[in-house]
Amino acid sequence: MNKFVLRNIHLAAISTVAITLCTITPASASVGKLLWQDNFDSFNNEIWNVDIGDGCDQGICGWGNQELQWYHTDNVSITDIAGEPGNRGLLIEARKESIGGKGFSSGKVHSKNKLSIQYGMIETRMKVSSVDTGLWPAIWMLGTSTASWPAKGEIDIMEMGQSEQARTDAGFPNSDIDSYTGSNLIFYSDGACNSGNPTCAASVAWQTDNAHLSTMPLTDRFVTYRLYWTDTTIRFTVEDQGVEYSMFDQPFTISEESDEFNAPFYLLMNLAVGGNFTDAKMNHQVSAPLPGKMVVDYVRVYEFNGLGEVKVGNSSEPEQGAFGVFTDLTETNSKLTVGVDSDIYVWNQNSISQGNIAPFEGEQVIAWDYRPNQWFGGGIQARQPTNMSAFADGELRFRIKIPKNIAFKVGISDTYTNENWLTFAADETTYGLVRNGDWAQAVVPIRELAGPLIALQSLKSHFSIASVDGQLPRAPFSMAIDDIIWTAGTNTLPDSDNDGVADGIDLCPNTPANTQVDENGCAIVAAEFGITQLSTQSVQFYVNTSQWADVHYQINGGVQQNVRMPLNSGRNELVIHDLNIGDEISYWFTYLKPNGAVDTTEQRFMISPATWM
């Protein structure tokens, strides 16, 4: 049988360790065709999201770095580039103003869930104003993986505003901060784990020459930054005054330990104010001239050494038929493979060690030995989100061998942090699982497993098991889990376009005949969501649900606003003001339905004078 490594899931906290760089770029390295570009002639909401806030709503107040700014949509815009007639760029502006309890505002955009890149040469041309003490402009990337940071990987293409200590550690003491720029890679490393670095984050820039010090300030002029990324190496460069300089002495070699960098990543661009990266930990320490500006002329992705892929939009196709989570011999349409596209996690390694129970089928098994009087938990997590929406009427089937007097619970989770659990009581038959201490099978309806919150279209964990609160086992025992599969339901809608594919999964199989239904087979409720004009200057968005709802809207093609709507008497409502007759509003909603979170199609509305004359 195979032996599986037990891994912990760690919370985000930045720390660094020394990493050795090796290898050189092959002489045959070549840049190929252009795969994708954004010249920022306008703001493309189909590619970019605008972050709002200080990170607290995402569980990382100060964005994990004790940053001092509040990100706001008003700080992101498209601007004419001075001295370059007809050329435009993305403007991110940092200002000294009180907002959201912060003393500064700024902007941040990212392409999460809209555009991802795997390999290639990524090039950006940008200009920043003086960073002095306190400004921290960056163009960087995060892995689309479901893993937590740093296991998902981080690629920092350019950063400015480093603290004096960071510049000294890199070999540039007393350097001019406006003439200094750096790059970095961060990933999970067992060798980096220590009491001062609980996240086990390995940083290749730690006490390493990872930077370029120019002979003249890099500010107030355009500079070109490049990332050369293949399946074996990563190299950063900066083109300064017509000469291309490598940021590191040697390219970084991707190894099994750093295989985060063999997966897709999404882009981020922001202008932070203060924080651990800088020498401004408090508001009064910020001396950079404000407003500070970061202008990005373009971002381009090219093939490099024959590699490079750019995916736009949600590239996760729905899984179909039978889906294997952990199985060897059971026939499936597709399946996860541990160590390739999924991992086994243990959340409390003090309670569980590897066991020796033989597999139920095949050669692989999850076998654990339990140490008493502690909570236990673990599961299988896909490295990339999977679309399991076709399984809403299906079943989870799994085999387990566990003493009959042990209570446990089984659950799943999505990429929106939602999770749901079902309890298997001790000494009771639940979901067909006969509790006799031998191998037995449970068959769980996905509807019950998903509950009201799980977004099946973006699933992260397909099977987790944990102890039941208040029922910790008092004696050691052994358990094993095997042959975990999802099977799709059979209630499908007709194939109306005769393309050989059913129109969709019928989530409401008892809907009366001749009833107008949506794509899920459910009766359409009139005015479930929409927009109402209140005056010539204001409108109200609404979603008729007592659960949460978000509205995404643009006014006359401007920057997209993403707002959680206030709940009022069982209905989500948001009123916006300061509109004008003829303004066009494009909008769509994300809200929670019984079968999970859904996105509506984009619609348009124009402010009319007729009703308000």
Side-chain angles (χ1 to χ4, degrees), residues 77-154:
S77 62
I78 300 297
T79 186
D80 292 326
I81 293 179
E84 300 183 8
N87 194 17
R88 311 189 80 195
L90 175 73
L91 170 62
I92 298 176
E93 190 170 75
R95 305 167 187 154
K96 184 172 178 56
E97 60 179 342
S98 297
I99 181 171
K102 298 291 185 177
F104 304 92
S105 68
S106 193
K108 176 183 178 183
V109 301
H110 62 84
S111 68
K112 185 177 182 180
N113 297 325
K114 292 184 176 181
L115 178 138
S116 64
I117 304 167
Q118 185 173 5
Y119 308 136
M121 193 274 275
I122 302 171
E123 177 182 274
T124 180
R125 180 177 183 258
M126 63 170 294
K127 177 173 68 173
V128 297
S129 57
S130 174
V131 297
D132 199 40
T133 299
L135 286 189
W136 176 8
I139 295 181
W140 51 302
M141 304 176 77
L142 285 173
T144 61
S145 165
T146 62
S148 58
W149 184 95
K152 65 172 54 188
E154 178 177 329

Side-chain angles (χ1 to χ4, degrees), residues 45-303:
N45 289 291
E46 295 183 358
I47 298 295
W48 303 107
N49 307 289
V50 179
D51 254 331
I52 299 175
D54 61 358
C56 288
D57 62 332
Q58 300 179 34
I60 47 173
C61 289
W63 298 102
N65 304 296
Q66 299 185 35
E67 296 167 29
L68 305 175
Q69 81 287 336
W70 179 275
Y71 285 131
H72 195 270
T73 55
D74 289 349
N75 299 65
V76 177
S77 62
I78 300 297
T79 186
D80 292 326
I81 293 179
E84 300 183 8
N87 194 17
R88 311 189 80 195
L90 175 73
L91 170 62
I92 298 176
E93 190 170 75
R95 305 167 187 154
K96 184 172 178 56
E97 60 179 342
S98 297
I99 181 171
K102 298 291 185 177
F104 304 92
S105 68
S106 193
K108 176 183 178 183
V109 301
H110 62 84
S111 68
K112 185 177 182 180
N113 297 325
K114 292 184 176 181
L115 178 138
S116 64
I117 304 167
Q118 185 173 5
Y119 308 136
M121 193 274 275
I122 302 171
E123 177 182 274
T124 180
R125 180 177 183 258
M126 63 170 294
K127 177 173 68 173
V128 297
S129 57
S130 174
V131 297
D132 199 40
T133 299
L135 286 189
W136 176 8
I139 295 181
W140 51 302
M141 304 176 77
L142 285 173
T144 61
S145 165
T146 62
S148 58
W149 184 95
K152 65 172 54 188
E154 178 177 329
I155 300 174
D156 299 321
I157 299 174
M158 75 77 59
E159 293 181 295
M160 291 183 66
Q162 289 91 335
S163 67
E164 176 62 32
Q165 186 61 54
R167 285 176 278 145
T168 299
D169 290 343
F172 297 96
N174 303 314
S175 55
D176 173 30
I177 194 170
D178 279 346
S179 302
Y180 183 93
T181 184
S183 300
N184 197 13
L185 294 167
I186 300 175
F187 59 95
Y188 178 96
S189 172
D190 288 329
C193 298
N194 57 62
S195 58
N197 182 28
T199 67
C200 306
S203 168
V204 303
W206 176 243
Q207 295 183 333
T208 302
D209 179 0
N210 67 312
H212 169 67
L213 183 62
S214 179
T215 57
M216 62 181 294
L218 295 163
T219 53
D220 297 317
R221 63 185 176 99
F222 278 99
V223 179
T224 300
Y225 296 88
R226 298 186 181 99
L227 162 68
Y228 296 87
W229 177 21
T230 73
D231 56 348
T232 57
T233 61
I234 294 177
R235 182 167 68 103
F236 301 98
T237 71
V238 53
E239 183 179 310
D240 178 14
Q241 304 175 74
V243 179
E244 187 173 25
Y245 298 90
S246 291
M247 305 293 270
F248 290 87
D249 292 337
Q250 300 289 343
F252 174 78
T253 297
I254 300 172
S255 64
E256 182 178 354
E257 182 181 49
S258 57
D259 62 359
E260 291 94 324
F261 302 117
N262 289 133
F265 278 63
Y266 63 92
L267 288 162
L268 303 96
M269 297 184 286
N270 63 289
L271 180 56
V273 181
N276 295 333
F277 186 82
T278 74
D279 280 323
K281 306 299 189 296
M282 294 179 286
N283 289 358
H284 73 271
Q285 294 175 311
V286 176
S287 61
L290 296 175
K293 296 184 178 183
M294 170 179 172
V295 179
V296 182
D297 181 16
Y298 63 76
V299 178
R300 296 171 182 166
V301 183
Y302 298 84
E303 278 188 356

